[in-house]
Amino acid sequence: IQRALRSLCIPLERLHIMKGHMMQDMCKGLSRQTHAQAKVRMLPTYICSTPNGTEQGNFLVVELCQSQIRTVLVTLYGDGNMSPQMVYKIFDMPEGIRQGEGEALFDFIAQCVSQFLAETTSSSQDRLPLGFVFPFTCQQTQLDKAVLLSWSKGFSCSGVVGKDVVQMLQSAINKQKVGGNGTGGRWLSPWRGWKSSQIAPGQLSHVNVVALMNDTVGTMMTCCTEGRPCEIAVVADKGSNCCFMAEAYLVEMAEETSGRMCVNTEWGCFGDDGTLNDVFTPYDKSVDEESSNPGEKRFEKLVGTLYLGEIVRHALIALTAEKAVFTGTDIAVLKEKGVFTIQHVLDIINNEDGTTDVKRILEVLGLQASEQDCSRVQQICRAVVGRAATLHAVGLAAILSYMCQTRDLETLMVNVGMDGELYKGYSRFEEILQSVSRLLSPECLPTLLPSKDGSGRGAAMVTAVALRLAAQRRVVDEVLGPLRLTQADLVKVQALMRQEMERGLGKQTNATASVRMLPTYVTHTPDGTERGDFLALDLGGTNFRVLVVRVTEEGISMASEIYVIPPAIMQGTGEALFDHIIDCIVDFQTKQNMLTQTLPLGFTFSFPCQQVGLDKALLLTWTKGFTASGCVGQDVVQLLRDAAKRKQHSGLQVVALLNDTVGTMMSCGYDDPKCEIGLIVGTGTNACYMEEMKNVGTVEGNEGRMCINMEWGAFGDNGCLDHIFTHFDKVVDDTTINPGKQRFEKLISGMYLGEIVRQILLVMTEKQLLFQGRASQKLQTRNIFQTKFLSTIELSNGLPLRQIRAIVNELELEASFEDCVLLREACQAVSLRAAQLCAAGLAAVVEKMRENRGLKQLSISVGVDGTLYKLHPCFSQNLQRTLKVLAPNCDVSFHLSEDGSGKGAALVAAVVARK
Ligand code: ADP
Ligand code: MG
């Protein structure tokens, strides 16, 4: 007896190892590569949310049970699902239907539905959604699309395996006439106020099968409590199974990548690859050999109530042979498969005081038991059932730890919906499940809750949630739809950009073109022979910088200092601005101990200028928040020289003014001779590239090339992009200091993306899609939503919940999980569009260069700078992917520019100095 009991008791270390195996198997089942071989199948259910209490309406549920069909009508009132109204009816299935034709089975189900509805619903013809509880292994590809993989549990209807069972049920329903032909069901629930009325025949077509599910999912749905969703369900019944909410991106078998999805683990098959062999006792082996599917569902055969009585029976047979029990009595009855039911076992162990009842139970079975036999049988029963509870705890612990890890949590608090004969019938089940899972997963705090009618009410909830999500999806698509660009849209933008480029280059058309295509007087990219020491200034971004740059044979080295330009100066007078710049230069030269040196100076000035020579450039307009007076129309180099004179700084030798795009191209060109394009995606966006002189109508001469500063940020200022501007873009534009200007830039660059997202969030909140419809004061503050938030929120791997919540909390809001998912979707829509538009612009550039050079295929490099491009997790990828599609004949590689503005200014100055 002791040996038998020991073999049924699994040591803690072994449980830890088993939990590890279960977690490994779960990962295997979730991965696309290993899914086919995985024993724990981890089937996606396409159920992507749990109830939030707002669900309402009538829902029909049909459950296919072992020998019955159950139909349920549930009404939810949107009151937190506190008091759903339910009425149901059970129909016995005709003899033989389980082995007959599939069509007959579905016709019968449809008849049940028809009869049930005729007796329950009022004559309302509103669409009635139906949830179908179909507890067989299916390959589900949508909530309402599930191909039956194989029958089990005695079912073998022909013509169903390999077919979509949702479709089969819907077709059968569509054929039905209401009122049917009498299937003889019986009412199992008191009448609860449903109005019965006559419905004309042939009107069942308003019934739509919208969801198919397994019974575990329904269990999960009924156990949500105030404030905490239920995200795991364990059904400990004839078989055993579990489902839980997994991070959708980990469920590789489903396309869905955001949010969560319920996964049906099918953990009954755990151990089918031999992992459980060392815990099998000889009794388990006998049970398995006598089963209809030897070698399969090994875990289920240790824990399912269908098998527990059998395990006890085989243990008793073996122990009798060893003369440990029932010595000298007739035990022939034990040879009979199935005599020992789970009910016998439960009755025996739940009997805490004395063995009189045990004796009686055994007697009824036909076993003569002594006092000692009774207590020994009781011990064996306890060991078998206790082991089943312990193994459930192992499975639960694996799920809990997996959820905790994949959600990047320190502690996981979660509700677990519980159901099944073993859970309800074995008084110590819950206690064992709690304490053992606590030992195995101390970081998790599960709350076990009994499910009330999981397959009826729960299935209705699944259906309701599905409809709520579908309705929400429609509204989300309405909001985000205008931001989504098709390839045709992008091709059109590319063509328009090309057209504006031509107009900008043309002598006559230049003045009215929205893309100004400004000549830079830079005619060559570096050749690597540039040498010397230079001063450089970088104005036009977030920071103003002064640098000293040394270009030697060994490479480029530099020192720099960042200076703040206070908003008062940005928006004050030009004189004050340039005086401030000189002050900064003097400060820098003092710090660098080079006040007496006169070095050639390159000035990176990132605003649109009409350049007349390398060191003469008239400011056309301010952008990016600058408005200093008295500068537009003036020569910027002269303004700097004037300020130097005012400040009596005689050691300045300004030799070149250039745009930051040019600086970026030049600095990358120093390392890569193929780099003939410069691109900026930072505070603003702009690009430059090497154009053929003969195409530059605004500068004399036809030889060679010249770098053109496109000033593409203003693309669309003439109205040619109006068709892609959304409501959000217009609102953002209206609140800038330059409304109607830099329209392309306002769709792409860092200064604006956060604000566009904020506008979307406001609209989504107003439409009750986010934050329970309440926008905080903070969220209504301009520019509060920074573009760097997009980078955090869109982090490529998984959902960075903690970080998103931190951002949202900063805005004095609370985000539910679904809020986080939606927030990310909004950010993605905005950043994707930005990257795509940038790609469309770039496609126009590279295609023009390819044509210019008469090439079939152009191979070229782009030097890129800008924090948005560099730090956003998907921007560069999206840009490059889109560019490949729009300009398939160009091989474009991208190089990040390191300090392009500084280096570039020095390199341009170097070219001048050399001349
Ligand atoms: P500039 O273009 O002014 O020279 P940057 O290239 O550094 O300067 O770009 C600054 C812009 O980058 C800011 O407008 C800011 O919104 C944006 N930005 C800053 N950090 C991030 C980030 N982590 N992800 C995306 N954008 C960012
Ligand atoms: Mg910059």
Side-chain angles (χ1 to χ4, degrees):
I1 290 287
Q2 286 307 323
R3 186 153 33 78
L5 292 175
R6 248 199 321 277
S7 74
L8 288 165
C9 172
I10 308 170
L12 184 60
E13 315 85 87
R14 188 65 192 80
L15 296 178
H16 270 292
I17 295 171
M18 211 186 283
K19 174 194 157 190
H21 281 151
M22 177 74 101
M23 287 178 77
Q24 272 169 20
D25 274 20
M26 288 166 56
C27 294
K28 220 165 141 187
L30 287 170
S31 146
R32 188 175 284 279
Q33 272 174 4
T34 47
H35 176 80
Q37 308 115 39
K39 295 301 173 197
V40 179
R41 293 295 298 276
M42 305 298 277
L43 301 170
T45 64
Y46 295 84
I47 289 158
C48 298
S49 180
T50 48
N52 67 3
T54 64
E55 294 80 9
Q56 53 180 308
N58 290 332
F59 304 92
L60 183 60
V61 171
V62 174
E63 185 181 7
L64 176 55
C65 309
Q66 190 63 27
S67 54
Q68 294 157 335
I69 303 293
R70 194 164 79 121
T71 52
V72 192
L73 190 59
V74 182
T75 305
L76 300 174
Y77 294 104
D79 59 352
N81 301 326
M82 300 303 285
S83 52
Q85 195 179 27
M86 285 178 54
V87 60
Y88 57 98
K89 193 170 180 177
I90 291 182
F91 301 85
D92 287 325
M93 278 196 273
E95 239 359 85
I97 199 164
R98 279 180 291 178
Q99 291 83 30
E101 281 183 21
E103 207 178 319
L105 174 69
F106 285 96
D107 282 345
F108 178 74
I109 300 175
Q111 275 169 36
C112 298
V113 170
S114 166
Q115 195 187 342
F116 177 64
L117 287 183
E119 294 167 4
T120 50
T121 46
S122 61
S123 53
S124 142
Q125 282 295 285
D126 288 346
R127 184 167 168 259
L128 185 58
L130 183 152
F132 186 24
V133 182
F134 186 77
F136 300 94
T137 312
C138 289
Q139 183 74 57
Q140 210 159 345
T141 48
Q142 284 172 28
L143 192 51
D144 61 351
K145 201 167 169 58
V147 171
L148 177 65
L149 293 180
S150 63
W151 285 115
S152 55
K153 308 177 202 178
F155 279 77
S156 60
C157 300
S158 61
V160 187
V161 171
K163 294 242 175 75
D164 175 7
V165 290
V166 172
Q167 191 51 50
M168 290 190 82
L169 178 59
Q170 186 71 60
S171 310
I173 286 175
N174 293 348
K175 284 194 301 197
Q176 269 301 312
K177 303 206 187 316
V178 171
N181 5 355
T183 39
R186 43 199 160 91
W187 290 97
L188 285 198
S189 147
W191 193 257
R192 286 173 70 186
W194 293 97
K195 279 196 219 83
S196 151
S197 74
Q198 228 32 53
I199 301 174
Q203 290 183 332
L204 213 53
S205 53
H206 64 298
V207 175
N208 283 314
V209 188
V210 302
L212 177 136
M213 76 212 77
N214 179 285
D215 51 346
T216 48
V217 182
T219 302
M220 187 175 82
M221 291 291 180
T222 57
C223 293
C224 297
T225 50
E226 199 58 43
R228 192 185 308 155
C230 175
E231 297 188 281
I232 309 179
V234 175
V235 175
D237 210 70
K238 301 246 173 335
S240 174
N241 198 7
C242 170
C243 70
F244 72 102
M245 296 302 284
E247 307 305 298
Y249 77 98
L250 294 170
V251 188
E252 293 179 6
M253 295 306 292
E255 298 293 317
E256 196 63 50
T257 54
S258 70
R260 294 191 179 136
M261 183 181 285
C262 178
V263 169
N264 169 16
T265 62
E266 292 289 345
W267 74 13
C269 299
F270 178 51
D272 287 9
D273 55 359
T275 10
L276 289 175
N277 285 0
D278 60 331
V279 302
F280 283 135
T281 63
Y283 329 127
D284 299 312
K285 292 198 183 94
S286 306
V287 172
D288 181 44
E289 277 158 20
E290 277 185 13
S291 69
S292 60
N293 51 352
E296 287 170 25
K297 300 233 166 191
R298 305 302 298 262
F299 186 66
E300 183 160 298
K301 284 174 188 163
L302 298 175
V303 303
T305 57
L306 202 56
Y307 305 98
L308 298 184
E310 283 294 285
I311 300 171
V312 170
R313 185 175 68 88
H314 279 287
L316 294 182
I317 293 174
L319 290 170
T320 310
E322 293 181 86
K323 303 204 172 0
V325 284
F326 300 125
T327 33
T329 60
D330 175 16
I331 59 137
V333 59
L334 279 179
K335 297 270 155 62
E336 201 180 313
K337 195 178 162 191
V339 284
F340 228 93
T341 66
I342 183 65
Q343 204 49 54
H344 293 127
V345 175
L346 292 175
D347 287 348
I348 288 171
I349 59 176
N350 285 337
N351 199 318
E352 296 290 343
D353 27 79
T355 50
T356 9
D357 281 354
V358 180
K359 195 175 175 66
R360 196 179 38 76
I361 294 164
L362 292 174
E363 255 166 29
V364 171
L365 277 168
L367 290 164
Q368 290 305 317
S370 68
E371 188 70 15
Q372 195 184 38
D373 288 339
C374 287
S375 85
R376 286 180 174 175
V377 169
Q378 201 173 35
Q379 278 180 300
I380 295 293
C381 287
R382 286 209 174 110
V384 168
V385 180
R387 184 182 65 163
T390 304
L391 289 174
H392 270 102
V394 171
L396 177 61
I399 304 269
L400 289 168
S401 289
Y402 178 82
M403 285 171 78
C404 193
Q405 280 171 22
T406 52
R407 293 179 182 192
D408 192 22
L409 293 172
E410 269 159 39
T411 331
L412 173 76
M413 310 243 282
V414 69
N415 286 351
V416 182
M418 298 293 311
D419 206 352
E421 195 171 23
L422 188 60
Y423 167 72
K424 288 186 198 148
Y426 176 36
S427 53
R428 291 197 56 214
F429 186 85
E430 184 163 332
E431 175 193 329
I432 295 174
L433 196 61
Q434 278 281 10
S435 60
V436 177
S437 69
R438 199 71 228 276
L439 283 174
L440 297 176
S441 302
E443 76 282 18
C444 303
L445 294 168
T447 308
L448 307 184
L449 296 169
S451 163
K452 273 220 304 275
D453 195 10
S455 49
R457 193 160 69 95
M461 301 261 209
V462 171
T463 315
V465 167
L467 290 181
R468 170 170 65 77
L469 290 185
Q472 176 177 326
R473 178 53 26 201
R474 277 193 296 277
V475 184
V476 169
D477 285 341
E478 259 166 48
V479 175
L480 295 182
L483 292 150
R484 298 194 174 119
L485 302 176
T486 63
Q487 191 176 332
D489 292 330
L490 295 171
V491 167
K492 189 167 170 196
V493 171
Q494 179 183 349
L496 284 166
M497 177 67 93
R498 175 64 186 262
Q499 193 183 319
E500 287 299 293
M501 285 169 74
E502 303 287 1
R503 282 166 37 81
L505 289 170
K507 199 176 172 69
Q508 262 75 51
T509 44
N510 170 267
T512 57
S514 71
V515 180
R516 296 299 306 274
M517 304 298 279
L518 303 168
T520 65
Y521 293 85
V522 171
T523 52
H524 291 92
T525 51
D527 63 7
T529 64
E530 295 77 10
R531 299 284 178 270
D533 290 354
F534 307 91
L535 262 185
L537 304 180
D538 175 13
L539 178 73
T542 308
N543 298 309
F544 168 57
R545 295 188 314 153
V546 185
L547 310 90
V548 56
V549 185
R550 171 163 293 178
V551 187
T552 68
E553 224 157 311
E554 280 78 49
I556 301 179
S557 60
M558 51 196 173
S560 72
E561 196 84 40
I562 289 178
Y563 295 91
V564 176
I565 303 215
I569 290 190
M570 280 161 84
Q571 292 163 19
T573 67
E575 282 191 4
L577 173 64
F578 283 92
D579 283 352
H580 179 70
I581 291 174
I582 296 293
D583 287 343
C584 297
I585 296 174
V586 170
D587 179 76
F588 179 78
Q589 288 184 316
T590 312
K591 279 185 181 149
Q592 296 290 327
N593 214 358
M594 47 185 282
L595 207 46
T596 51
Q597 267 173 307
T598 300
L599 298 179
L601 184 150
F603 187 6
T604 301
F605 183 76
S606 315
F607 300 96
C609 289
Q610 182 76 62
Q611 215 144 348
V612 190
L614 252 185
D615 65 346
K616 195 168 167 58
L618 312 180
L619 176 62
L620 290 170
T621 172
W622 286 117
T623 57
K624 294 179 278 193
F626 279 74
T627 56
S629 61
C631 300
V632 172
Q634 302 296 308
D635 173 10
V636 179
V637 175
Q638 196 54 50
L639 291 175
L640 186 64
R641 286 177 181 147
D642 291 347
K645 212 172 276 163
R646 278 198 299 280
K647 292 267 172 185
Q648 285 152 11
H649 187 12
S650 52
L652 277 195
Q653 184 203 344
V654 188
V655 299
L657 181 140
L658 60 149
N659 188 268
D660 56 347
T661 51
V662 181
T664 300
M665 177 186 81
M666 295 294 277
S667 75
C668 288
Y670 186 74
D671 300 315
D672 175 6
K674 279 202 311 197
C675 181
E676 295 184 275
I677 301 178
L679 171 69
I680 304 279
V681 194
T683 305
T685 182
N686 191 13
C688 71
Y689 72 102
M690 297 303 289
E691 178 58 274
E692 311 302 313
M693 272 299 285
K694 64 177 191 302
N695 294 337
V696 185
T698 48
V699 181
E700 292 297 311
N702 283 332
E703 293 308 304
R705 294 177 181 150
M706 181 178 282
C707 180
I708 298 294
N709 165 20
M710 293 176 68
E711 285 299 335
W712 81 7
F715 177 41
D717 288 5
N718 58 356
C720 69
L721 289 180
D722 284 1
H723 62 286
I724 62 166
F725 292 135
T726 65
H727 160 77
F728 314 113
D729 302 317
K730 289 177 196 124
V731 175
V732 170
D733 180 41
D734 282 345
T735 53
T736 57
I737 56 170
N738 53 350
K741 299 276 157 53
Q742 300 291 106
R743 300 300 307 267
F744 192 55
E745 176 162 276
K746 285 174 186 164
L747 304 176
I748 295 175
S749 72
M751 191 158 177
Y752 309 99
L753 296 195
E755 186 61 6
I756 299 174
V757 170
R758 190 181 71 87
Q759 293 301 336
I760 297 173
L761 300 187
L762 286 175
V763 168
M764 283 185 161
T765 308
E766 192 186 303
K767 291 189 184 287
Q768 308 287 324
L769 293 169
L770 271 180
F771 311 130
Q772 298 183 312
R774 288 188 294 272
S776 64
Q777 203 58 45
K778 271 251 177 100
L779 186 62
Q780 296 173 43
T781 314
R782 243 184 68 195
N783 291 329
I784 195 94
F785 199 94
Q786 299 172 38
T787 298
K788 70 173 184 206
F789 294 169
L790 275 76
S791 292
T792 310
I793 291 170
E794 291 182 58
L795 260 182
S796 36
N797 236 345
L799 190 69
L801 264 190
R802 214 183 309 171
Q803 291 92 317
I804 297 183
R805 292 217 161 103
I807 290 173
V808 171
N809 292 345
E810 270 303 295
L811 302 174
E812 290 166 4
L813 291 162
E814 290 285 335
S816 69
F817 176 76
E818 280 168 37
D819 286 342
C820 293
V821 174
L822 194 51
L823 175 54
R824 177 161 72 168
E825 191 176 349
C827 290
Q828 281 169 336
V830 170
S831 76
L832 174 64
R833 182 183 67 154
Q836 287 174 332
L837 287 170
C838 194
L842 214 47
V845 173
V846 292
E847 272 298 296
K848 183 165 197 316
M849 292 175 87
R850 188 180 65 79
E851 287 171 31
N852 282 346
R853 299 171 190 196
L855 296 170
K856 267 219 169 78
Q857 194 76 24
L858 174 74
S859 177
I860 198 151
S861 303
V862 183
V864 200
D865 201 354
T867 305
L868 177 60
Y869 182 93
K870 286 180 175 170
L871 293 190
H872 189 281
C874 342
F875 188 93
S876 60
Q877 234 179 5
N878 287 333
L879 166 64
Q880 292 174 27
R881 192 180 309 138
T882 312
L883 182 61
K884 272 213 179 73
V885 175
L886 294 176
N889 295 322
C890 300
D891 297 321
V892 187
S893 50
F894 290 77
H895 300 299
L896 288 186
S897 134
E898 285 299 322
D899 236 315
S901 304
K903 261 193 224 175
L907 288 167
V908 173
V911 174
V912 180
R914 197 175 53 192
K915 278 178 187 162

